[in-house]
Amino acid sequence: MRKGFSLVELLVVVVVLPFVFLLFDGLFKTIAGEIPMSVRLINENTTLLSMLRQIQQDVDQAKNLPKSFAGQTASDHVLLIELSEGVICYQMRDGRAFRDKLTDVPQNTAGEPRIWSMPHAKVQWKVLERNGQGYAVETNTHLEYGRRGQWKQKMAHSHLYFTGALGKELR
């Protein structure tokens, strides 16, 4: 019995081993790229849910959902909520959500805004009305990101928040 490897065995290993490494290289690149992206999306989704909880609290205490106030007009990206202490404005701009307290005076804000940074979030608000009076806010949200030349939507949420006593009664 000889010890060692024959030339054919060595050539087979030299030829097959690069293909095995190539196969695992693609797998490791995919894993290394997907894990950090997934962590970022989960963190951003957590921030988005935090903002939605704040909206729910404000809508629960709402006296009214005005169509406009202090130069702001409600739309898909602007939400106005009238509370007993003033009007709150939620607005999406440049990958961030702002919560400002509005006043009638020209300076337009009465305090420090609360800001949530969500660069991949898409948020739309819709005020549901009956007899010209807003009674609920419907929110549709998702995270949108590009991966390998394709845009994907992840973690879609749709919530319906009823104002004041109506919301508490339904819960």
Side-chain angles (χ1 to χ4, degrees):
M1 266 251 183
R2 336 178 303 243
K3 292 186 179 183
F5 300 102
S6 70
L7 182 59
V8 172
E9 292 170 334
L10 288 175
L11 285 174
V12 167
V13 168
V14 169
V15 169
V16 170
L17 204 54
F19 290 110
V20 171
F21 286 152
L22 190 63
L23 176 74
F24 284 120
D25 180 58
L27 178 68
F28 288 132
K29 281 184 183 177
T30 301
I31 290 172
E34 291 292 327
I35 290 175
M37 176 61 86
S38 296
V39 169
R40 284 192 297 274
L41 287 174
I42 289 169
N43 289 338
E44 193 167 338
N45 188 53
T46 302
T47 302
L48 179 62
L49 291 174
S50 170
M51 182 199 65
L52 290 173
R53 273 192 298 278
Q54 181 67 55
I55 289 174
Q56 180 182 11
Q57 289 173 4
D58 289 342
V59 171
D60 281 349
Q61 299 171 9
K63 292 173 33 181
N64 189 17
L65 299 170
K67 293 180 183 176
S68 64
F69 184 83
Q72 292 284 355
T73 303
S75 68
D76 285 352
H77 301 291
V78 176
L79 175 64
L80 300 173
I81 303 171
E82 183 181 345
L83 303 175
S84 57
E85 62 270 5
V87 175
I88 302 296
C89 175
Y90 286 90
Q91 190 171 23
M92 289 297 294
R93 288 190 317 252
D94 304 322
R96 295 182 294 177
F98 296 86
R99 180 188 184 269
D100 292 323
K101 188 173 183 180
L102 301 178
T103 64
D104 287 330
V105 294
Q107 73 183 27
N108 207 23
T109 57
E112 288 294 316
R114 184 161 180 199
I115 301 170
W116 294 271
S117 179
M118 302 175 293
H120 299 99
K122 302 296 179 198
V123 179
Q124 287 186 326
W125 297 289
K126 180 181 178 185
V127 174
L128 304 177
E129 296 180 348
R130 180 178 293 156
N131 301 329
Q133 182 78 14
Y135 67 92
V137 175
E138 180 184 4
T139 62
N140 290 303
T141 64
H142 66 270
L143 300 178
E144 190 173 87
Y145 70 99
R147 191 79 177 146
R148 295 187 187 118
Q150 297 178 353
W151 285 97
K152 296 184 179 184
Q153 294 181 3
K154 294 283 187 175
M155 300 181 187
H157 302 281
S158 182
H159 299 274
L160 186 61
Y161 305 122
F162 291 93
T163 59
L166 180 60
K168 292 174 186 165
E169 188 178 304
L170 291 173
R171 268 189 270 138

